[in-house]
Amino acid sequence: MHLGKYLIIFSLLTSIVSLICLGINIREKKSTFDWAKRLFYISGISIIFAVILLFIAFLSHSFQLSYVYNYSSLSLSTTYLITAFWAGQEGTFLLWLFLLYIFGYIILREKDENANILLAVISITQIFILIILIAYSPFRLIWEEGARHFRPGMIPQDGSGLNPLLQNPWMVIHPPVLFVGYASAIIPFAYAIVGLLKKDYTTWIDKSYKWILFCVTTLGIGIFLGAYWAYLVLGWGGYWGWDPVENSSLIPWIFIVALMHGVIIQKRKNALIKTNILLSIITFILIFYSTFLTRSGVLSDFSVHSFSDLGLSGYLIFIICFFILTSAFLFIKQFQNIESNPMSKKILTFDNIISYGIITLICYGVFILIGTSMPILSKLFLPKPTTVFEGFYNIISIPMGILILALIGLVAAYKFPKNINKKTIISIIVPSIFLGVLYNLSQSEKYNSSFYHIFAYVFTILALFIIVQSIYHLIKYKIKNIAPYMAHIGVAVLVIGIIASNIHSYSVQKRLHQGKEETIDTINITFKGITRSMKSTLKYSFNDGSGIKDIDTLYYTNRKTKSLYREPYISYGFFRDIYISPIKYQRGIDNRSSLTLTKGEEKKFDNYKIKFVGFDIDKKHMKSGTPKLMTKLNIKIKGKNYTISPGIIIKGKDSRESIDAKLPITGQRVSLLNFDLRSKKIFLFIESGNNAPTPPDSALIEMSFKKLIWLVWLGTILISAGGFLAISRKS
Amino acid sequence: MNVKKIIIITMIVIFSIIAFYSMSDLLTPYISFKESMRTDNFVQIIGELDKSIPIEYMEGYFTFTLKDKDDTRMNFIHRGTKPFNFEHAKQIVVLGKYKQSKRIFESTKILIKCPSKYEQQKRN
């Protein structure tokens, strides 16, 4: 057994003892807390060593470890050897565990009077994860896997390699930041549990507020990073696909954003106390639910992300149930004792408007949760499992989005209710409407559905209203706390960016023949050819009016996985990004030699006209077990007609023998490669003639014009900046 | 119950109706190839790529052939881009309608199921 595995087992044992000490400390008030702390630190140090060992294992190419074998190779650069740590499930669990130790350490240093309860919550979670790490250890040896062909002691020469899609700079930051966000959700939850146990329902939010902000900011940035990565590298031209893996990190984020706003109200009015406790519990449980969705096999039928089922589903469900039951028990027990001020009965007050926002966010989160969980829900309640698609999320996002924007716009006005001046409001609304309508009118409706187009107007106007009004407020009232304004402006900018890059954007597919210039919109592009290297690229000459540029798009087949990898070329612009995605490269020779014909169809091939007359099934041979399928082809050349009959003898399930024919005059071989009786199609191969010219290679590309997409990035940056500002104010 | 609560509850009910309406529109059952050929409803099917029949690419669409687990073959046409690693997918899920007159399944959406982890590949 690898040393790492011993370290994890040791960590588990020390954590269990630590938890016991904490239990004694909490219940019987005996002074076992110091021992609990020491054991926690010892456990933590053990895990730090385990983390270091795993890094060393990657850097030293220890392919006897299954995890290192599966996710790295000799040729992998140092950077990606390090990032391979979190390429797979085992490593990310270890990362999560490590982060929990860091957060636990920080909490202990604050010497909170309830540190014992906080530590207990963290320890319980850690023990759950440690058990996972023992069953699915990143340190397990490759011959322990059973199914593999590795004899004990036999160390592979080279690893499988890291998925090329993960070998890019985003892999360095996106997973770690996301996990920091995930892991930090435990702190508000732990504080809420303290509140419930100690029957003090208000101090917990003061103590955890900066952690809530931290979680909102880091989880948010983690999600945004994933979006940038998708757009820049993955080549489908989008940044959000409503895929279950994406949704499962969005849902807890929405809930913790709701919690953040709920805490603001609680601090002002001592209201929504129960709501906030619930929200912090729900966020934490959703983190585990998200883990369940992405790591069990339940969604494998319905997501483009692939999940290898480690068999963890049952265990993760157990963890989720454990936390639900214990939190519910504590919450229900204290429910009557929690005294909370009611919200004002007036419809429009600053706090009420925020609470409407919280309700909307919760609804939005619940809808996305139901949609994402539909495969599981439908398995339970319907005869056949089904799934929900992008259209669902887009449709519900419309009323939710409009409501959220309207509330953001409204809330700033009601912060200074006495100053609500009809004149000012109108002077903000009118330009917003004017600009919004003008902008949307200027966008061509040609390529997109007008159903969404009307909402584009509404969204743009609301977003512009928010931006104008926020800037006005910031200046007029000399606001010191600009964080919420910055974040909300960020939301508005993000929305405009989303509208522009989805509703107003369009794409065109074009086949580019080598050497021939094509014009798409105002872009001149010529396909120049493919480079011959391990990572081949398609080269083009590109001219968007500012001069001719040489550009390329990555397009190669990985020898090991045999998969095709592509990356887009993006020409960044102010008004639009020009996004070129290579779809299919075809060698002229391949085009030349193969021909597909439907019955009755005639196609030109060099100087010949070839017509597929029909099938000729030899019925006699059918019964004897070696059916022969012949095809009748009519060849026209130089004014004369000929008939040839290439065919196939089907000898067995996988064994076929070709009966080739020859083209008249040149004698070029004609083979029947395949056929489809249902659609009456045949697939022929024709040998190249000596003097026949080779048609040019071609590249089928999709050129998309993504309008104002940089607003999406700017919006997310502003939201993140707002978050950071808020955190720094609290520190 | 005050006015506020009534408004809030009404709005939640309205949103829920919108949500469920859009869900029922998009909830599609998995059916076999043979069944899908008998109906012209919007359905969802799953199959394996028939590699012996080449994929044909045109500007704006491509055609391919899948086979069912009972070896039924069906031809598909998809207007849009071919998803990543289409040829290497273990299984392919397609949503759309079968056009009996053209004897081809018009696919609106394709989902790929691949064997490797953490891969983000998607196309509409």
Side-chain angles (χ1 to χ4, degrees):
Chain A
M1 241 192 345
H2 194 272
L3 174 60
K5 202 156 182 185
Y6 285 114
L7 288 171
I8 292 175
I9 295 175
F10 177 70
S11 213
L12 175 63
L13 295 170
T14 36
S15 294
I16 293 176
V17 180
S18 171
L19 186 62
I20 294 172
C21 292
L22 285 171
I24 297 174
N25 179 252
I26 294 170
R27 300 218 59 167
E28 292 162 45
K29 316 239 189 290
K30 291 222 188 88
S31 58
T32 45
F33 181 66
D34 283 338
W35 267 110
K37 235 176 36 165
R38 282 184 207 122
L39 289 167
F40 177 78
Y41 288 146
I42 292 172
S43 188
I45 292 172
S46 179
I47 289 301
I48 291 176
F49 277 127
V51 166
I52 295 174
L53 275 180
L54 190 55
F55 276 126
I56 292 177
F58 272 109
L59 291 167
S60 65
H61 299 298
S62 307
F63 296 126
Q64 71 270 31
L65 295 182
S66 207
Y67 192 67
V68 177
Y69 175 79
N70 284 330
Y71 294 106
S72 69
S73 59
L74 289 170
S75 56
L76 200 58
S77 70
T78 316
T79 317
Y80 297 125
L81 283 172
I82 296 176
T83 64
F85 187 108
W86 46 79
Q89 306 212 19
E90 301 91 321
T92 51
F93 275 121
L94 184 58
L95 176 64
W96 187 358
L97 183 67
F98 170 71
L99 289 167
L100 289 176
Y101 279 105
I102 304 280
F103 294 142
Y105 174 71
I106 298 175
I107 295 281
L108 286 174
R109 287 196 47 143
E110 289 176 8
K111 297 201 190 328
D112 188 289
E113 53 181 359
N114 292 306
N116 49 6
I117 302 176
L118 294 170
L119 196 59
V121 174
I122 295 178
S123 288
I124 293 174
T125 313
Q126 288 176 325
I127 289 171
F128 280 134
I129 298 178
L130 281 163
I131 294 175
I132 294 176
L133 282 173
I134 290 183
Y136 299 103
S137 172
F139 298 104
R140 76 183 175 283
L141 297 164
I142 199 159
W143 47 83
E144 285 170 9
E145 291 219 7
R148 293 262 181 183
H149 314 295
F150 293 101
R151 291 194 321 274
M154 189 182 114
I155 301 176
Q157 294 271 33
D158 197 356
S160 294
L162 183 63
N163 187 326
L165 282 175
L166 300 180
Q167 290 179 39
N168 72 76
W170 296 105
M171 184 58 180
V172 179
I173 34 168
H174 167 60
V177 172
L178 201 57
F179 271 92
V180 168
Y182 272 165
S184 60
I186 197 174
I187 309 293
F189 170 71
Y191 274 110
I193 297 291
V194 168
L196 286 174
L197 285 172
K198 292 282 168 166
K199 304 189 190 5
D200 171 6
Y201 314 109
T202 45
T203 356
W204 77 273
I205 59 156
D206 286 319
K207 301 210 170 151
S208 63
Y209 189 45
K210 63 177 185 293
W211 284 100
I212 295 174
L213 291 171
F214 178 74
C215 181
V216 167
T217 312
T218 48
L219 188 53
I221 293 178
I223 294 172
F224 300 149
L225 290 173
Y228 307 151
W229 187 352
Y231 179 72
L232 294 176
V233 175
L234 297 178
W236 47 277
Y239 41 84
W240 189 259
W242 294 112
D243 188 84
V245 168
E246 295 171 342
N247 293 352
S248 64
S249 46
L250 181 66
I251 300 166
W253 189 71
I254 291 178
F255 276 87
I256 197 152
V257 168
L259 172 62
M260 179 181 71
H261 288 90
V263 168
I264 292 173
I265 295 182
Q266 186 171 340
K267 281 161 141 298
R268 283 169 52 95
K269 289 267 159 44
N270 236 13
L272 294 187
I273 298 182
K274 299 192 198 103
T275 312
N276 290 334
I277 294 176
L278 264 181
L279 284 174
S280 66
I281 295 173
I282 291 174
T283 306
F284 181 67
I285 289 175
L286 283 172
I287 299 280
F288 274 99
Y289 183 66
S290 138
T291 308
F292 165 71
L293 281 182
T294 56
R295 293 167 191 271
S296 67
V298 284
L299 292 182
S300 58
D301 274 348
F302 298 100
S303 171
V304 293
H305 291 77
S306 287
F307 315 101
S308 61
D309 189 351
L310 290 187
L312 279 177
S313 329
Y315 183 63
L316 286 169
I317 295 177
F318 169 74
I319 299 178
I320 293 172
C321 288
F322 172 82
F323 282 119
I324 292 180
L325 291 171
T326 46
S327 333
F329 171 72
L330 287 172
F331 184 71
I332 293 171
K333 191 158 158 236
Q334 301 301 332
F335 193 76
Q336 309 286 37
N337 303 336
I338 306 176
E339 279 177 15
S340 180
N341 286 342
M343 299 290 289
S344 154
K345 286 215 171 37
K346 279 204 282 186
I347 295 187
L348 289 174
T349 69
F350 180 68
D351 302 287
N352 280 351
I353 296 173
I354 299 181
S355 72
Y356 304 146
I358 294 172
I359 295 173
T360 314
L361 282 170
I362 294 175
C363 284
Y364 194 32
V366 168
F367 287 139
I368 299 176
L369 177 63
I370 293 178
T372 312
S373 309
M374 193 47 83
I376 303 172
L377 294 172
S378 61
K379 248 186 221 173
L380 298 170
F381 299 115
L382 297 175
K384 280 205 174 128
T386 58
T387 186
V388 141
F389 291 102
E390 260 184 73
F392 167 75
Y393 301 107
N394 288 334
I395 291 177
I396 55 153
S397 296
I398 294 175
M400 299 276 104
I402 292 177
L403 201 51
I404 290 174
L405 286 181
L407 291 169
I408 296 178
L410 208 52
V411 84
Y414 276 86
K415 190 160 170 96
F416 308 99
K418 299 191 187 73
N419 295 359
I420 294 177
N421 183 334
K422 281 217 172 112
K423 251 212 230 164
T424 337
I425 301 278
I426 295 190
S427 67
I428 301 176
I429 291 185
V430 170
S432 307
I433 297 181
F434 183 65
L435 269 173
V437 171
L438 207 64
Y439 165 67
N440 278 285
L441 278 177
S442 72
Q443 298 305 312
S444 165
E445 280 187 54
K446 203 171 21 149
Y447 299 97
N448 283 292
S449 84
S450 47
F451 170 71
Y452 288 112
H453 207 87
I454 186 99
F455 293 111
Y457 284 87
V458 178
F459 276 106
T460 339
I461 293 170
L462 286 172
L464 287 167
F465 177 75
I466 293 173
I467 297 172
V468 174
Q469 188 200 49
S470 304
I471 297 176
Y472 170 72
H473 268 237
L474 285 171
I475 299 175
K476 175 160 178 208
Y477 298 113
K478 298 194 192 9
I479 308 269
K480 293 233 173 62
N481 181 17
I482 63 172
Y485 285 92
M486 188 176 284
H488 288 151
I489 293 177
V491 172
V493 169
L494 174 65
V495 167
I496 299 180
I498 292 175
I499 299 288
S501 62
N502 285 334
I503 298 182
H504 298 311
S505 296
Y506 57 97
S507 62
V508 176
Q509 280 192 16
K510 195 100 183 153
R511 183 178 293 281
L512 306 175
H513 294 282
Q514 188 169 3
K516 180 160 175 260
E517 190 187 60
E518 298 278 356
T519 307
I520 301 173
D521 205 16
T522 55
I523 314 291
N524 290 328
I525 185 163
T526 316
F527 172 53
K528 297 207 295 197
I530 188 168
T531 62
R532 295 280 163 213
S533 53
M534 274 270 279
K535 290 200 175 171
S536 54
T537 64
L538 302 177
K539 290 190 137 12
Y540 319 80
S541 221
F542 175 86
N543 189 353
D544 58 357
S546 63
I548 302 182
K549 255 198 317 203
D550 288 328
I551 65 169
D552 54 43
T553 58
L554 204 62
Y555 188 95
Y556 70 97
T557 308
N558 181 287
R559 282 187 297 180
K560 258 200 185 131
T561 63
K562 304 266 192 295
S563 304
L564 180 64
Y565 291 96
R566 297 174 277 185
E567 278 182 25
Y569 168 78
I570 307 177
S571 170
Y572 303 102
F574 177 79
F575 288 110
R576 59 191 186 169
D577 274 9
I578 297 169
Y579 193 98
I580 300 177
S581 187
I583 301 172
K584 180 78 184 173
Y585 163 72
Q586 268 170 330
R587 294 189 313 163
I589 293 200
D590 293 335
N591 267 337
R592 265 203 91 244
S593 349
S594 61
L595 201 63
T596 307
L597 289 169
T598 321
K599 185 171 169 189
E601 197 185 357
E602 184 177 72
K603 275 190 185 166
K604 213 168 168 305
F605 184 88
D606 284 352
N607 300 324
Y608 297 88
K609 285 215 181 79
I610 304 181
K611 181 174 184 177
F612 174 39
V613 177
F615 289 108
D616 210 350
I617 303 173
D618 188 343
K619 296 212 166 80
K620 257 197 293 182
H621 278 92
M622 283 288 256
K623 303 206 178 109
S624 70
T626 47
K628 257 201 301 195
L629 183 117
M630 308 302 289
T631 58
K632 220 174 184 178
L633 303 176
N634 193 28
I635 315 284
K636 274 194 209 139
I637 175 138
K638 293 197 165 119
K640 289 208 180 133
N641 280 321
Y642 301 84
T643 305
I644 61 172
S645 298
I648 293 179
I649 302 178
I650 301 165
K651 289 193 162 161
K653 190 166 176 269
D654 286 323
S655 140
R656 290 176 166 190
E657 196 182 288
S658 284
I659 306 172
D660 293 339
K662 287 207 169 103
L663 283 179
I665 302 178
T666 61
Q668 285 160 251
R669 188 164 54 93
V670 179
S671 301
L672 179 65
L673 285 180
N674 215 332
F675 57 90
D676 185 16
L677 291 173
R678 175 165 278 129
S679 62
K680 301 199 173 64
K681 270 196 183 157
I682 56 168
F683 307 94
L684 299 170
F685 167 81
I686 305 176
E687 198 183 27
S688 317
N690 290 330
N691 294 324
T694 313
D697 295 349
S698 69
L700 180 62
I701 61 158
E702 186 175 49
M703 192 182 285
S704 312
F705 299 89
K706 305 273 178 199
K707 302 237 174 116
L708 294 177
I709 197 164
W710 61 274
L711 287 179
V712 176
W713 320 137
L714 179 62
T716 57
I717 291 173
L718 286 173
I719 295 173
S720 314
F724 277 126
L725 267 178
I727 297 174
S728 62
R729 271 189 109 233
K730 285 290 149 194
S731 308
Chain B
M1 271 222 278
N2 60 21
V3 185
K4 207 172 58 131
K5 288 214 172 109
I6 296 177
I7 297 180
I8 293 176
I9 293 179
T10 319
M11 298 210 77
I12 294 181
V13 170
I14 293 178
F15 292 143
S16 304
I17 293 175
I18 297 177
F20 285 113
Y21 168 74
S22 60
M23 242 198 262
S24 65
D25 225 36
L26 301 158
L27 277 183
T28 36
Y30 265 153
I31 58 174
S32 71
F33 282 25
K34 291 208 173 97
E35 278 174 57
S36 70
M37 289 196 252
R38 283 187 233 125
T39 171
D40 54 4
N41 290 333
F42 186 76
V43 292
Q44 180 173 210
I45 56 97
I46 186 167
E48 247 175 69
L49 188 63
D50 186 346
K51 298 197 177 158
S52 58
I53 300 187
I55 302 171
E56 287 183 41
Y57 301 90
M58 317 291 162
E59 277 175 17
Y61 67 95
F62 69 102
T63 61
F64 56 98
T65 306
L66 297 184
K67 55 183 187 213
D68 210 342
K69 45 185 189 314
D70 47 347
D71 253 2
T72 321
R73 281 176 169 71
M74 192 150 69
N75 295 321
F76 294 78
I77 180 168
H78 180 80
R79 289 176 205 286
T81 329
K82 181 181 70 95
F84 268 145
N85 284 329
F86 186 74
E87 301 90 332
H88 303 283
K90 267 198 348 210
Q91 294 205 288
I92 297 176
V93 174
V94 178
L95 286 100
K97 297 184 186 180
Y98 186 74
K99 262 267 152 51
Q100 282 166 351
S101 50
K102 299 195 189 150
R103 304 185 81 187
I104 199 159
F105 191 102
E106 288 181 351
S107 138
T108 342
K109 192 169 175 85
I110 301 178
L111 277 179
I112 309 291
K113 308 249 312 278
C114 296
S116 47
K117 287 182 254 228
Y118 275 53
E119 258 175 276
Q120 196 170 46
Q121 303 145 37
K122 197 148 176 23
R123 211 52 185 117
N124 294 331

